[in-house]
Amino acid sequence: MEQPLPKSWSIHTRPEIIAKYEILERVGSGAYSDVYRARRLSDNLIVALKEVHDYQSAFREIEASQMLHNCPNIVVLHEYFWREDEDAVLVLEFLRTDLAAVIRDAKKKEGGIWVGEIKRWMLQILCGVDGCHRNMIVHRDLKPGNLLVSDDGVLKLADFGQARILMELGFDGDNDSQQLSVEQNTTYQENVTPPLDVVADAHSLPDQGFNKQVVEDTNREEYLRQLVELKAKRYVMDETDKETITNDGYSSCLATCTISDTDDDPLKSSYSYEAEEGGDGRNGALTSCVGTRWFRAPKLLYESTDYGLEVDLWSLGCIFSELLTFEPLFPGISDIDQLSRIINVLGNLTEEVWPSCSKLPYYKTISFSKIENPTGLKACLPNRSADEISIVKRLVCYNPANRANAMELLNDKYFDEEPLPLVVSKLHVPLTKNDHDEDSPGGWNDCDDMGSDCDLGHFKVEKSVNGFSLHF
């Protein structure tokens, strides 16, 4: 019996893809996706072909990208191919570098990044996040490696494989403008696919898969029928398939492909175990097992599944801090260490600073020694202005209700004062993203030796009314 081709090479055997694209090289590979640089035969445009091996990740990335297709700071999805029993292949605009490379490059330069440049990078990030949050999309994995940069300095949010839509858009039977349609998507590029909700079930598309266009005369009844069928299929997949998200440090590579390394963790860190998400992909149960650890909000580190857009705002604060100092704010080597670093800076987590924090799942199980003199965020941002420190403080705070949203920050006076934000076209863009082999696991400055929480040193296990507690 003939052996099947390796998964990472399956893209080369799909006629519907190679008929339209010349695959030039593989530029990234990970547990959940492989990314190839390719040339579109019709116009020689260089694109990224992202072959996604996980159903849920592919579904979420396609759905979120289509909802955000008008946002200039979101990576463009040109089209996608998806047929039964094969991985989804997303055709994305190719961006060769990212904010992580910008920061790394600035760290090497004398003088770092000029304030006007920092402001423009911040504004572009805020515009992208605001676009997501206006559509009730929580990205859940914001980090410098997922903020891609074009040759002309335009920054774009990428990798929506972990994104969730928190509130479904309403469907008004008397208002056709609210129905997502093929026509709405024509502002993309010329090769466009319909929104996922109006695409028929995979079983009905044996030849073209999910790339099949919806006929223009599809009536309202047929649209609703297809919508129900597709959601039913997705619900079954969500209930039966478990997702494992294992992003640590800067685990990323070119063109929106995420690479992950899995660690065995006896204490069940949220980055190293399988977590199941139920529901229909929008309003179903969330999981705490999301996001790269260094940018993960305390709520997620305590394994809460009751969260929303505010977890992105914490990540945003960590990104801004790194943009200002060229160093990660909380570079934890495990989830426990991550919490410890946060507490050492912000102080102990109590009901006084965050009402109801004691209801977090592992709040009473994991405890830390009392911090008498926390470092404070100001000490983490040496030689930065009061306004810059203020912006980080408004994002990196325990109580999610106190975090400033993206729109508030876009209107902050900091961006209207001298020096003004630099023009996008004058931003310095690094020539390359990585100094090392881009096919190797892990991104720049990746933590290869992540270890388990047991590697942290001394801790004490005590019996409690909840069974046991860990004291650090």
Side-chain angles (χ1 to χ4, degrees):
M1 182 176 178
E2 186 178 353
Q3 293 295 319
L5 290 171
K7 195 78 168 179
S8 60
W9 292 99
S10 64
I11 191 172
H12 295 276
T13 67
R14 296 172 65 167
E16 74 276 21
I17 295 175
I18 60 178
K20 299 180 70 174
Y21 298 93
E22 177 190 2
I23 301 172
L24 303 174
E25 62 177 333
R26 187 171 69 174
V27 296
S29 179
Y32 296 99
S33 60
D34 294 288
V35 175
Y36 302 83
R37 186 170 65 91
R39 181 176 64 87
R40 191 164 63 188
L41 298 177
S42 62
D43 59 2
N44 293 324
L45 177 70
I46 298 299
V47 298
L49 300 182
K50 182 174 181 179
E51 185 180 32
V52 186
H53 312 314
D54 177 72
Y55 175 92
Q56 289 186 354
S57 294
F59 199 107
R60 289 169 182 163
E61 185 150 9
I62 293 170
E63 190 170 37
S65 297
Q66 290 185 328
M67 289 183 67
L68 298 169
H69 72 277
N70 282 323
C71 181
N73 295 106
I74 303 294
V75 165
V76 172
L77 172 67
H78 296 298
E79 65 175 330
Y80 62 92
F81 301 85
W82 203 352
R83 55 193 302 170
E84 191 176 7
D85 300 325
E86 289 189 342
D87 292 335
V89 174
L90 282 58
V91 182
L92 302 156
E93 64 176 318
F94 186 84
L95 302 173
R96 61 181 174 80
T97 193
D98 58 23
L99 190 68
V102 171
I103 294 171
R104 185 186 68 247
D105 193 63
K107 188 176 180 179
K108 296 177 181 177
K109 292 192 307 181
E110 185 177 353
I113 305 179
W114 183 55
V115 174
E117 276 192 271
I118 291 175
K119 288 184 177 182
R120 180 56 65 189
W121 291 124
M122 285 183 171
L123 284 172
Q124 292 193 84
I125 299 168
L126 286 168
C127 284
V129 173
D130 181 59
C132 292
H133 290 186
R134 282 176 178 270
N135 286 278
M136 295 305 292
I137 296 173
V138 54
H139 186 283
R140 302 201 300 181
D141 194 20
L142 291 177
K143 59 183 177 182
N146 281 342
L147 304 176
L148 303 187
V149 178
S150 70
D151 291 346
D152 53 2
V154 178
L155 180 145
K156 302 196 176 191
L157 274 63
D159 203 343
F160 285 83
Q162 294 186 34
R164 290 291 293 272
I165 303 172
L166 299 180
M167 184 176 68
E168 185 165 354
L169 292 175
F171 182 87
D172 186 346
D174 297 323
N175 186 357
D176 289 341
S177 66
Q178 291 190 12
Q179 179 177 344
L180 295 175
S181 64
V182 176
E183 287 76 10
Q184 284 179 297
N185 272 338
T186 55
T187 56
Y188 256 163
Q189 303 282 333
E190 54 195 315
N191 293 318
V192 185
T193 52
L196 207 55
D197 282 350
V198 298
V199 183
D201 185 274
H203 294 285
S204 65
L205 306 175
D207 297 323
Q208 295 178 304
F210 279 120
N211 194 44
K212 182 177 181 180
Q213 297 287 329
V214 178
V215 293
E216 294 182 1
D217 60 352
T218 300
N219 58 36
R220 184 67 52 81
E221 182 179 352
E222 178 66 11
Y223 166 82
L224 293 175
R225 184 190 66 78
Q226 293 176 355
L227 180 64
V228 170
E229 286 184 1
L230 186 60
K231 287 188 175 181
K233 178 180 176 66
R234 176 169 57 176
Y235 180 81
V236 171
M237 293 297 294
D238 285 345
E239 287 296 301
T240 57
D241 289 353
K242 291 185 177 182
E243 63 175 4
T244 306
I245 299 172
T246 57
N247 301 332
D248 297 301
Y250 284 101
S251 305
S252 65
C253 68
L254 274 175
T256 77
C257 171
T258 298
I259 296 177
S260 304
D261 292 319
T262 305
D263 299 314
D264 294 323
D265 192 343
L267 295 187
K268 193 184 179 183
S269 286
S270 61
Y271 63 86
S272 63
Y273 71 97
E274 293 188 343
E276 183 172 3
E277 291 190 276
D280 69 353
R282 283 193 178 95
N283 301 324
L286 295 169
T287 177
S288 61
C289 182
V290 292
T292 305
R293 183 194 301 126
W294 292 358
F295 306 90
R296 193 178 297 158
K299 209 171 208 184
L300 299 177
L301 292 168
Y302 276 105
E303 299 194 13
S304 173
T305 59
D306 179 21
Y307 60 85
L309 304 175
E310 74 279 356
V311 298
D312 281 351
L313 300 176
W314 173 279
S315 303
L316 196 58
C318 295
I319 293 169
F320 283 176
S321 174
E322 188 163 344
L323 192 54
L324 293 166
T325 66
F326 314 138
E327 298 289 346
L329 181 57
F330 304 119
I333 61 173
S334 70
D335 283 9
I336 294 296
D337 184 49
Q338 188 73 21
L339 279 170
S340 176
R341 290 172 183 266
I342 293 170
I343 289 171
N344 282 329
V345 172
L346 300 185
N348 290 95
L349 181 56
T350 65
E351 290 277 340
E352 184 178 351
V353 296
W354 182 0
S356 76
C357 70
S358 60
K359 296 179 182 178
L360 292 170
Y362 285 91
Y363 181 82
K364 295 177 181 178
T365 303
I366 303 172
S367 61
F368 296 86
S369 299
K370 186 175 182 181
I371 304 297
E372 298 292 344
N373 297 301
T375 305
L377 283 170
K378 184 177 181 180
C380 298
L381 298 162
N383 305 316
R384 305 312 310 190
S385 71
D387 287 338
E388 290 166 335
I389 295 170
S390 173
I391 285 180
V392 175
K393 282 184 174 181
R394 293 169 67 187
L395 293 165
V396 181
C397 56
Y398 280 132
N399 191 347
N402 292 339
R403 292 177 201 153
N405 62 45
M407 179 52 68
E408 289 178 68
L409 294 177
L410 281 169
N411 291 310
D412 193 273
K413 63 182 179 67
Y414 171 68
F415 298 106
D416 295 324
E417 297 174 346
E418 296 286 347
L420 294 174
L422 193 66
V423 176
V424 170
S425 60
K426 293 186 178 181
L427 292 171
H428 172 71
V429 179
L431 293 177
T432 59
K433 174 174 177 176
N434 293 313
D435 291 331
H436 66 285
D437 181 6
E438 289 160 354
D439 284 346
S440 64
W444 74 276
N445 198 31
D446 188 35
C447 294
D448 295 322
D449 183 18
M450 299 306 293
S452 70
D453 288 344
C454 290
D455 295 329
L456 290 176
H458 300 290
F459 64 90
K460 182 167 61 176
V461 179
E462 299 175 344
K463 291 184 177 180
S464 69
V465 292
N466 298 309
F468 68 93
S469 66
L470 303 175
H471 186 71
F472 295 85

